[in-house]
Amino acid sequence: MTKKKTGFNFWERNRLSNGYLLQKRVMKVAISIIRAILLFGLCFLILQPVLNKISVSFMEERDLYDPIVVSIPRHFTIENYTISANPEIMDYTVSLRNSFIVSLTIAILQIAMCTLVGYGFARFKFPFKKFWFAMVILIIVIPPQTISSSLYLHFRFFDIFGIIEAINGEALNLRSSFIPYYLISAGCMGLKNGLYIYMVRQYFRNIPVDLEEAAYIDGCGTLKTFVRIMLPQAKPIITSCFLFAFVWQWTDSFYAKLFFQSVKLVSTQLSKIVASLSVFIARVQGGGSAQPATITLARSNQILSTGTLMIVFPVIFLYLFCQRQFVESIASTGIKM
Amino acid sequence: MKKQKKLAGLEKRKSISGYIFIAPFILGFLLFMFKPMIDSLIMSFQDVQLSSNGSTRVFIGLDNYHSALRVDPDFTRLLTEEFIRLVVYTLAIIVFSFFISLILNQEFKGRSAVRVVFFLPVILSSGVILGLESNNQYMDTLKQTVEANVEGVSVSVAVESILKTMDIGGAVFDKVFEVIDNIYDVAMASGMQIIIFLSGLQTISSSMYEAASIDGCTKWESLWKITFPMISSLFLVNWIYTIVDFCMRSDNQVISKIQTVMTSKLQYGPASAMSWLYFLFIIVFVGITSFFISKVVYYND
């Protein structure tokens, strides 16, 4: 159709434009080829460690020392997965369940609180608002490690103005329980909570105030307006903050080491996987657990890769299905300073 | 008169409900941030001994700071090393993510798939996984054998040796080549920044570029005259985000040094002193650099 309309083919049009059309076309193709090579290389760079881990995790141990085997296993096995999931090494089913429960509850608590606070910052005028918002920025900037030493002591000898000591006779040791972390999350001081507050606030500020004003005029209270009118509109940002909170909590080792030592979580189990592997092998070989067996570096890394894959897999699964929520919410908040 | 009083009442009510909304944050901040911070500041001037029924603390003045800076064999070295790494990598990450977001802003097939891949590190390189990745010796040995086999073939090595023989070089070039060799780390750390830049690029209306190109502006010129000013505020955001992110990474050597001093040697005083030194260092750096960056930021509105 179009050909008939113009009446010229590509070369004729090219001649009419003094070679400009061809030049333009060649440039376009060249740019897209260069771009494709560049992006393919960079994507491969990012994906390569994951692919490498996958191939290593399906190899038998002798394949590791076989110079011919590079990435495709010669002796295919799923033994590494069963070893890693063993109750004495990662205790995968138990720690997976624990991690899931902890991450889910923590994420829900953190996001509920951060949404409240973010809304408060976005919509209300109150004295010292600038000061408190500066404090939000401060908690984004302070690494939690800075205060970890005193946080540790704080919960080792936990007390609220000496009340507990008066009743119990001594301060509570809350360190090995996970109550402190729920308290911290309820106070918006958990992992990256300042960032969530900031993102939620940005989002609420972009919503026009008309709806709320209409609700106020119709006699709706502040809390009711927030729950009925604003929350449904903020669904995208809440979902994405929730996903971030869940994923970052899932892989977090800092707070896990500080507060969840009595509970098996995938992140803490993974960080000591090599040590537990050598103890396990020593026990199986009958050498007694007093002397950990020496395992080769390649073997321990193979188990480490398998373990990493096993804890990353649920997260990747989640990401593939919800990548829109992950990526687009950040774009939609319109972060500005 | 009456009307004014009523307005004041509404304002008061609004400010009270505002405070109710942010009450969790204020409580949490006072209990879990302010108190530990003051506590750790005090501890940094004290000798802290743990016992079963509490802790004994003796005021020892600046001794902890003195021991961190002058006695401890590693701390100052690690601090300067991390600082240099911070500057180099933050610059590299900003440049890299800006470049990638420019590419991803163009129209081509499979754009969303590429975006998914570039954002993947935000999920994958967090928490415990990053720490494991960095001490993955197997990968290091593998890398070394690969490098040994392809020596001279690698483009960056070849270019580096050409420049060396031409007597162009020095510390800056070494750093640039170090970054190029570690492009993996840079790519892994710039997922969030790419998305932030991309969101900024998408808000620039295409009519600006059209007007510029009609007036004879080349692509290169419009990059500097339109794109740069329009998203310059995002450079500030990304700069701060990258620094903060860098400080919180679990492979940060200063942080792990502080952690070992605290958890395995149980020296709470020196650990607090070190973390305060580190914190002040970073705050001063962020403050000075963002002051200079905000000087050149252009605000459209």
Side-chain angles (χ1 to χ4, degrees):
Chain A
M1 277 301 278
T2 46
K3 231 178 185 179
K4 264 180 192 168
K5 253 183 193 169
T6 52
F8 297 110
N9 69 13
F10 177 78
W11 295 108
E12 281 164 336
R13 282 189 289 149
N14 183 40
R15 204 182 58 235
L16 284 174
S17 69
N18 288 331
Y20 179 75
L21 194 61
L22 183 67
Q23 194 190 341
K24 203 78 178 167
R25 181 68 66 90
V26 168
M27 273 292 276
K28 210 175 154 188
V29 170
I31 284 175
S32 65
I33 287 173
I34 291 170
R35 187 171 57 204
I37 292 170
L38 198 69
L39 287 179
F40 177 79
L42 287 169
C43 287
F44 182 73
L45 188 78
I46 292 170
L47 289 178
Q48 187 264 341
V50 179
L51 299 177
N52 186 40
K53 281 197 183 73
I54 292 174
S55 83
V56 165
S57 73
F58 284 114
M59 285 180 193
E60 268 182 37
E61 195 181 348
R62 54 184 159 162
D63 281 11
L64 297 175
Y65 312 117
D66 192 341
I68 300 168
V69 176
V70 177
S71 52
I72 298 169
R74 177 181 271 182
H75 304 94
F76 185 85
T77 177
I78 57 163
E79 186 209 4
N80 298 316
Y81 286 92
T82 52
I83 285 184
S84 304
N86 191 294
E88 283 174 61
I89 294 176
M90 258 179 57
D91 206 355
Y92 191 60
T93 44
V94 174
S95 56
L96 193 72
R97 201 185 60 219
N98 287 340
S99 265
F100 186 75
I101 294 170
V102 167
S103 305
L104 193 71
T105 48
I106 289 280
I108 288 174
L109 188 63
Q110 286 183 348
I111 297 310
M113 289 304 171
C114 289
T115 314
L116 275 180
V117 174
Y119 180 67
F121 275 117
R123 275 298 190 264
F124 296 99
K125 274 186 199 152
F126 45 85
F128 303 115
K129 184 179 170 181
K130 283 228 168 103
F131 169 75
W132 288 116
F133 196 67
M135 293 303 115
V136 173
I137 302 296
L138 188 73
I139 67 163
I140 298 177
V141 177
I142 293 182
Q145 286 90 344
T146 322
I147 56 154
S148 63
S149 57
S150 56
L151 211 56
Y152 172 84
L153 288 181
H154 187 54
F155 287 112
R156 172 65 187 78
F157 306 105
F158 187 73
D159 215 334
I160 306 167
F161 311 120
I163 301 169
I164 294 172
E165 197 171 353
I167 299 168
N168 257 7
E170 58 175 331
L172 282 175
N173 180 3
L174 281 182
R175 201 200 151 212
S176 49
S177 80
F178 42 80
I179 302 163
Y181 195 50
Y182 283 94
L183 285 177
I184 288 179
S185 302
C188 300
M189 292 296 137
L191 192 69
K192 304 205 182 188
N193 279 9
L195 193 68
Y196 307 145
I197 294 178
Y198 189 81
M199 278 164 69
V200 170
R201 168 185 173 263
Q202 265 338 80
Y203 191 86
F204 275 126
R205 279 179 58 168
N206 289 343
I207 299 176
V209 281
D210 307 354
L211 263 179
E212 280 168 284
E213 277 171 359
Y216 285 139
I217 287 168
D218 287 348
C220 204
T222 321
L223 193 68
K224 207 173 170 190
T225 313
F226 171 65
V227 175
R228 288 278 182 82
I229 313 259
M230 296 311 277
L231 272 190
Q233 290 192 64
K235 250 182 210 157
I237 191 72
I238 292 174
T239 358
S240 68
C241 279
F242 171 78
L243 288 172
F244 276 119
F246 184 84
V247 166
W248 278 331
Q249 191 57 50
W250 184 270
T251 55
D252 165 68
S253 62
F254 174 71
Y255 285 108
K257 270 183 195 155
L258 209 57
F259 296 121
F260 291 95
Q261 291 205 324
S262 55
V263 189
K264 282 178 179 170
L265 295 181
V266 280
S267 54
T268 46
Q269 291 297 100
L270 181 66
S271 55
K272 58 185 183 199
I273 189 170
V274 175
S276 13
L277 177 72
S278 57
V279 172
F280 172 72
I281 286 179
R283 203 184 57 75
V284 169
Q285 286 170 347
S289 58
Q291 269 185 327
T294 46
I295 36 175
T296 59
L297 198 62
R299 175 69 175 155
S300 69
N301 272 301
Q302 186 187 23
I303 294 296
L304 188 66
S305 308
T306 316
T308 313
L309 274 183
M310 282 164 82
I311 90 158
V312 154
F313 180 69
V315 172
I316 291 187
F317 194 70
L318 191 69
Y319 175 62
L320 287 183
F321 280 94
C322 308
Q323 56 93 9
R324 192 164 278 271
Q325 279 85 342
F326 272 106
V327 177
E328 280 183 4
S329 63
I330 297 177
S332 70
T333 53
I335 294 172
K336 268 198 186 119
M337 274 202 165
Chain B
M1 195 61 199
K2 207 182 169 188
K3 199 183 169 193
Q4 215 175 9
K5 204 180 173 187
K6 211 173 178 184
L7 249 179
L10 180 68
E11 244 165 43
K12 201 177 162 192
R13 226 173 55 209
K14 272 228 155 191
S15 73
I16 288 174
S17 34
Y19 261 105
I20 291 172
F21 270 109
I22 68 159
F25 173 76
I26 295 177
L27 271 180
F29 181 78
L30 292 179
L31 274 177
F32 305 122
M33 184 59 72
F34 187 69
K35 188 176 176 292
M37 257 173 78
I38 296 299
D39 227 30
S40 114
L41 186 63
I42 296 170
M43 262 205 284
S44 68
F45 296 106
Q46 284 174 330
D47 180 33
V48 183
Q49 294 292 338
L50 271 194
S51 57
S52 55
N53 54 350
S55 52
T56 51
R57 296 168 168 201
V58 184
F59 183 78
I60 51 167
L62 284 172
D63 273 16
N64 285 328
Y65 288 92
H66 180 255
S67 76
L69 287 177
R70 303 302 298 274
V71 179
D72 193 285
D74 295 329
F75 185 69
T76 41
R77 180 179 60 85
L78 290 177
L79 198 64
T80 42
E81 271 177 17
E82 278 298 312
F83 181 69
I84 291 167
R85 230 163 69 93
L86 170 75
V87 175
V88 170
Y89 276 87
T90 311
L91 282 172
I93 286 167
I94 296 285
V95 171
F96 179 80
S97 54
F98 180 64
F99 179 66
I100 293 295
S101 63
L102 278 182
I103 294 177
L104 289 186
N105 197 34
Q106 295 167 351
E107 293 285 333
F108 59 90
K109 263 184 203 160
R111 190 171 73 151
S112 57
V114 175
R115 203 175 62 171
V116 167
V117 172
F118 274 104
F119 197 70
L120 194 64
V122 177
I123 316 279
L124 287 191
S125 73
S126 58
V128 62
I129 304 163
L130 182 74
L132 294 174
E133 203 76 57
S134 64
N135 54 26
N136 199 339
Q137 288 153 329
Y138 176 60
M139 284 305 290
D140 282 350
T141 47
L142 202 73
K143 208 169 128 193
Q144 275 164 16
T145 47
V146 169
E147 270 169 13
N149 288 332
V150 296
E151 201 179 356
V153 185
S154 163
V155 179
S156 72
V157 173
V159 173
E160 195 176 355
S161 61
I162 290 171
L163 285 174
K164 280 260 169 67
T165 48
M166 284 161 72
D167 216 20
I168 306 168
V172 179
F173 272 87
D174 286 349
K175 281 289 165 208
V176 170
F177 280 111
E178 189 196 313
V179 168
I180 291 169
D181 287 340
N182 293 322
I183 192 77
Y184 173 71
D185 291 334
V186 175
M188 287 304 267
S190 49
M192 203 65 138
Q193 288 85 332
I194 290 173
I195 298 297
I196 292 174
F197 272 137
L198 204 55
S199 73
L201 287 175
Q202 276 162 0
T203 59
I204 306 174
S205 77
S206 56
S207 58
M208 259 191 212
Y209 291 107
E210 278 165 26
S213 79
I214 286 168
D215 285 348
C217 195
T218 61
K219 285 261 165 66
W220 178 248
E221 277 166 340
S222 64
L223 170 71
W224 290 98
K225 299 269 152 88
I226 299 172
T227 314
F228 242 76
M230 287 303 281
I231 64 164
S232 58
S233 68
L234 293 181
F235 275 95
L236 184 61
V237 174
N238 273 345
W239 179 257
I240 293 172
Y241 182 86
T242 313
I243 293 175
V244 170
D245 202 42
F246 191 89
C247 298
M248 294 194 190
R249 283 161 67 115
S250 46
D251 66 343
N252 189 320
Q253 287 186 334
V254 178
I255 296 287
S256 53
K257 165 81 185 165
I258 293 170
Q259 296 241 299
T260 42
V261 169
M262 187 182 71
T263 53
S264 39
K265 295 185 189 164
L266 294 175
Q267 295 170 328
Y268 289 93
S272 312
M274 282 178 193
S275 36
W276 273 93
L277 281 173
Y278 183 57
F279 178 59
L280 284 179
F281 215 66
I282 297 300
I283 284 289
V284 167
F285 179 66
V286 169
I288 292 173
T289 48
S290 42
F291 174 76
F292 282 113
I293 295 174
S294 64
K295 284 274 168 196
V296 293
V297 164
Y298 166 79
Y299 286 100
N300 195 27
D301 38 41

